[in-house]
Amino acid sequence: MGSTNQTGDSVFILLGLSGDPGQQQILFVLFLALYLVTVGGNLLIVLAIGTDSHLHSPMYFFLANLSLDDICFSSATIPKMLANIQTSSSAISYAGCLSQVYFSFLFGDLDEFFLAVMAYDRFMAICRPLSYTTAMSPRNCVLLVAACWVLAQLNSLLHTILLAQLTFCADRTIPHFFCDLAPLLLLSCSSTSINELALISVGGAVILLPLMCILGSYVYIVSAILRMPSAGSMHKAFSSCGSHLAVVSLFYGTAISEYLCPSPPGSTDESRLAAVSYAVVTPLLNPFVYSLRNHDLQRALYRFLCRRKPSNLLGSIQKLVLAHSQTPTPPRDSVDLSDEQGFLEMGIC
Ligand SMILES: *[C@@H]1O[C@H](CO)[C@@H](O)[C@H](O)[C@H]1NC(C)=O
């Protein structure tokens, strides 16, 4: 009996965020709107950066990568949830469940790594301006992005393979809106000690090391800002720092509470709320927070949206694809380093 339960065509039941049909319709509309804004906002950033040659610098390449990753991250979880509500079915196949774990870990990890790389990039630009151009050469940027990909792949493969070893018995009801690792471990009827060990050690390192890199970079950046002469630029820098740090702490705080603090089986509401904030809200907020005070990016967005007839949109996407398939133009040199206002204009921190 136990072994037939383990076949590939068996299904899990995702309870979603609510069992009430009326609430489900509200949730459907809400999450559809959140998803469309996430995909639209992030896609705009990728296209605006790709089509604007002024924005071909490391910071914007990383931001475009982050935006692309946020689109993938929210696509790993939200569409399946929406489809389940719409078809009044809560089923997800065993393979579907494993791939949700794999992709949510992959893109979630990438999100963490890209945020860390972006903080490091700003640290180098502000605190080590003389070695910035060498440290962030096009080759090193590609290497950094590639390293993020490899590490994220390895970590998500590790957790998915360990999860695939587990046996699931009669109760296959997941009180969650996607197949997340933590509720799946609670559901398994074989021993999950190896999975938990991997989650605490490797998973912990994957969350905490980028977090330390981010916090370290910001400590240096803030102390550099404090030495700035004008109170106006200080205020501006702090307010954009503050919004970045708010998103970072929302993302890391909820991810840490979900994966690193073992929750008792009864606390499904907190666990679902935490998952909503790191898997749905963070990918939504990232494009807004990182472009809010960024005038270069706002100008590029404006150019992309307004100085272009709608019929030219396809043409510009084509141009973008062509440009990317040819040899890349070397990124613009780092900004004029004597000009602190230039950094603030870039919406840094
Ligand atoms: C991601 O970053 C790499 C390295 O900087 C860059 O070559 C690539 O174009 C970026 N991807 C996007 C979508 O901007």
Side-chain angles (χ1 to χ4, degrees):
M1 276 182 300
S3 58
T4 53
N5 275 346
Q6 205 37 35
T7 51
D9 47 18
S10 53
V11 293
F12 285 95
I13 302 298
L14 284 174
L15 286 188
L17 287 171
S18 162
D20 175 357
Q23 276 183 3
Q24 279 198 335
Q25 284 314 312
I26 299 175
L27 285 173
F28 179 82
V29 174
L30 180 70
F31 277 78
L32 181 63
L34 290 177
Y35 182 62
L36 292 179
V37 174
T38 305
V39 172
N42 282 299
L43 200 59
L44 263 184
I45 289 192
V46 173
L47 290 177
I49 291 177
T51 50
D52 192 324
S53 56
H54 298 301
L55 299 188
H56 287 178
S57 67
M59 182 175 90
Y60 294 106
F61 275 132
F62 297 140
L63 184 59
N65 275 289
L66 178 72
S67 287
L68 208 55
D69 175 58
D70 279 335
I71 295 176
C72 301
F73 191 21
S74 54
S75 302
T77 56
I78 304 181
K80 177 63 184 163
M81 174 206 181
L82 296 178
N84 273 5
I85 295 180
Q86 216 45 22
T87 56
S88 305
S89 126
S90 347
I92 181 166
S93 66
Y94 180 71
C97 208
L98 281 192
S99 19
Q100 265 199 337
V101 170
Y102 175 75
F103 286 114
S104 60
F105 259 78
L106 174 65
F107 297 123
D109 288 348
L110 270 179
D111 222 320
E112 286 161 16
F113 295 157
F114 286 154
L115 287 174
V117 166
M118 287 167 71
Y120 176 70
D121 171 71
R122 289 301 87 204
F123 160 74
M124 290 303 285
I126 294 169
C127 306
R128 304 279 183 276
L130 295 181
S131 47
Y132 180 73
T133 335
T134 6
M136 288 292 164
S137 66
R139 185 172 159 271
N140 286 358
C141 289
V142 172
L143 280 180
L144 270 176
V145 171
C148 292
W149 268 98
V150 170
L151 285 180
Q153 294 270 11
L154 289 180
N155 186 49
S156 52
L157 260 183
L158 170 73
H159 294 300
T160 313
I161 289 173
L162 286 180
L163 176 66
Q165 311 303 313
L166 297 180
T167 316
F168 292 90
C169 303
D171 181 17
R172 291 166 157 250
T173 317
I174 307 169
H176 211 69
F177 65 101
F178 68 99
C179 283
D180 204 357
L181 190 55
L184 276 167
L185 291 187
L186 291 176
L187 208 60
S188 165
C189 53
S190 45
S191 163
T192 56
S193 48
I194 296 178
N195 306 63
E196 276 155 23
L197 188 67
L199 198 56
I200 295 286
S201 56
V202 184
V206 158
I207 293 185
L208 294 179
L209 290 180
L211 179 63
M212 275 153 54
C213 172
I214 293 177
L215 294 181
S217 301
Y218 276 98
V219 166
Y220 279 105
I221 290 170
V222 166
S223 66
I225 294 173
L226 285 178
R227 281 183 253 118
M228 280 178 185
S230 99
S233 60
M234 223 162 86
H235 173 77
K236 210 169 153 192
F238 267 126
S239 57
S240 69
C241 263
S243 55
H244 292 190
L245 281 177
V247 179
V248 164
S249 37
L250 179 74
F251 184 51
Y252 281 93
T254 51
I256 286 173
S257 80
E258 176 83 348
Y259 295 113
L260 299 188
C261 309
S263 57
S267 63
T268 52
D269 280 346
E270 290 100 87
S271 156
R272 280 188 285 198
L273 203 62
V276 167
S277 75
Y278 64 73
V280 179
V281 177
T282 331
L284 169 80
L285 286 184
N286 273 341
F288 295 103
V289 162
Y290 284 90
S291 54
L292 211 59
R293 289 174 175 275
N294 188 326
H295 299 297
D296 280 341
L297 192 56
Q298 283 162 7
R299 267 192 294 273
L301 277 174
Y302 177 76
R303 262 197 297 269
F304 181 75
L305 289 175
C306 306
R307 306 246 177 102
R308 220 177 276 279
K309 297 189 188 72
S311 57
N312 282 353
L313 192 64
L314 263 184
S316 70
I317 294 174
Q318 237 166 20
K319 236 188 292 173
L320 178 68
V321 172
L322 276 180
H324 274 254
S325 60
Q326 286 157 6
T327 47
T329 48
R332 193 175 57 144
D333 273 352
S334 64
V335 260
D336 181 4
L337 298 165
S338 59
D339 174 18
E340 78 194 21
Q341 202 60 38
F343 278 122
L344 300 175
E345 280 286 305
M346 285 170 75
I348 45 96
C349 227

